[in-house]
Amino acid sequence: MNIIILGAGRVGESVAESLVSEKNDITVIDTNPQRLRELEDRLDLRGVPGNGIQPSVLEAAGAKDCDMLIACAPLDETNLVCCKVAHDIFNIPTTIARIRSPEFPNDSPLMSKEGFAVDQVICPEQSLTTYIRKLIEYPEALQVLEFAGGAVSLIAVRAVTGGPMVRHVISELPQLVPNVEMRFVAIYRSDELGVDRQVVCDGTTRIEPGDEVFVLAATRDIRRVLDALRRRDEPVRRVMIAGGGRVGLRLAREIQDTCHVKVIESSLSRCEYLTTQLRSEALVLQGDSTDEDLLETENVQDSDLFLALTSDDEDNIMACLLAKRMGARRVLGLINRRAYADLVQGTQIDIALSPAQTVIGELLAYVRRGDVEAVYSLRRGAAEALEAVAHGDRKSSKVVGRRIDELPLPAGAQIGAIVRTIHDAEVYEKVIIPHHDTVIESDDHVIVFVPRKRMVREVEKLFQVSATYLF
């Protein structure tokens, strides 16, 4: 697929890195030639210096033969105009724009072909806020991802001594946690050197304390799944946010009804603005989030969750480590640089969150072949979970009408759940945790875990319908 990316910032770079690794032809447009040269030296892509809203620059980037434009420049207006020019002049089939403002939702008439011609709006700040809210709802989880309109969830959780399943083999699950269907799709365990390794996941696998476990289950059963792997944490009631930027403000607005919120912001003018946007119960403090005296004065040790959401990776890391040392129950840091995210893995920072990784899944769903509804990047892009829709019949499809054990899935890939629409007295969605003899039907939503990114293409091909395919 020929893809043009406008903007070589953090989001643009992460998107380019992810798409290049899947053998797409990528061209990046940016006004900074030095930045483009650095990307060209590191990745297999082409850089075009210039202003992406100018037709001549888009033409030089290959817009006439382009399949998709992803506009993620810093300014909303640049991205909107670029999509409009790309559609009207070059007839690029798919346009995606990074829009920070909530005034331009996906379903707005302004986004239609007659308006700015944006097929999909992505907002990293909103994606991050949604992601963090899930972690507040389920404080034991490291990650909570929803599929099939929220019917199924994939959760990542750190197994802790005391959980009913810990130190037991997976085949004992029905006796230990009755009446809850779940599928363990991956387990990662630290070796002697502290490096996480994937463990073979079958009925004989024993879950050990410290394992990072990925489990698929019906969303209604998430609480019981978490309880099986660790003791239940106290609900999150007191939240301290370091950084009152776009993400910090969005999150504070959304949780101020259910949590006691404190926001630490270094800029006085920003603090004044925050006080006009939040309720009087929320406390806005001017100061440095790495100031030990300030954290002690504000009783960081009583915080259920400390969030470092500034734009500075180093400050976020230091603030999290300091807050954890001073007694904060759980800490989460926003970390843009991938190298830093890898470094803090296994430290006292409970969760290192990459803004770019949270939106890449939204983009990947458009790049994927076949009918792919959702894609999530796991473990900083190493693995993926995708939701594909099975279409056709046994003659035209490689999956419809076949048992799970008949499917030529790549080694390590697993079908973890199936969501099937049942037309009975009333129409409802049925969540099926499949076994080897489960047969896939047309229009099933199939959730597949892929341990290595390079295997994704093989899975996509399975779900592509061919008019001439015969088994």
Side-chain angles (χ1 to χ4, degrees), residues 216-336:
L216 268 167
T219 300
R220 64 177 179 271
D221 294 329
I222 284 184
R223 174 48 58 199
R224 294 189 65 188
V225 172
L226 290 169
D227 289 346
L229 291 163
R230 57 180 298 148
R231 292 185 297 273
R232 184 176 295 198
D233 288 351
E234 292 295 322
V236 174
R237 292 286 180 261
R238 296 175 296 277
V239 178
M240 186 175 289
I241 300 173
R246 293 187 181 94
V247 178
L249 175 57
R250 276 178 186 262
L251 181 63
R253 275 179 181 152
E254 292 192 15
I255 66 173
Q256 60 183 342
D257 290 339
T258 56
C259 300
H260 177 59
V261 179
K262 292 182 180 181
V263 181
I264 300 174
E265 169 59 44
S266 58
S267 166
L268 176 59
S269 59
R270 183 67 180 177
C271 285
E272 292 170 348
Y273 176 72
L274 291 172
T275 58
T276 66
Q277 299 299 305
L278 300 174
R279 294 186 178 177
S280 57
E281 293 81 6
L283 185 60
V284 178
L285 305 160
Q286 187 199 4
D288 184 350
S289 58
T290 60
D291 182 344
E292 189 171 357
D293 292 336
L294 174 61
L295 295 182
E296 185 177 6
T297 302
E298 295 305 324
N299 301 310
V300 69
Q301 70 274 8
D302 296 331
S303 297
D304 298 315
L305 181 62
F306 179 89
L307 300 153
L309 306 178
T310 74
S311 57
D312 188 294
D313 286 356
E314 290 86 350
D315 278 356
N316 289 343
I317 292 171
M318 294 306 297
C320 281
L321 292 174
L322 183 59
K324 190 71 171 182
R325 195 192 74 185
M326 296 179 70
R329 195 175 89 197
R330 202 169 191 218
V331 298
L332 180 151
L334 205 59
I335 300 177
N336 289 282

Side-chain angles (χ1 to χ4, degrees), residues 169-227:
V169 296
I170 292 175
S171 60
E172 298 178 60
L173 176 65
Q175 292 78 41
L176 295 167
V177 191
N179 304 320
V180 177
E181 283 200 293
M182 64 180 91
R183 172 62 44 82
F184 289 79
V185 293
I187 296 174
Y188 292 88
R189 183 174 297 159
S190 295
D191 60 16
E192 296 81 6
L193 300 175
V195 178
D196 282 353
R197 308 277 185 194
Q198 187 175 359
V199 178
V200 175
C201 199
D202 57 28
T204 64
T205 305
R206 187 178 301 277
I207 299 171
E208 300 290 352
D211 285 355
E212 185 178 344
V213 183
F214 286 84
V215 191
L216 268 167
T219 300
R220 64 177 179 271
D221 294 329
I222 284 184
R223 174 48 58 199
R224 294 189 65 188
V225 172
L226 290 169
D227 289 346

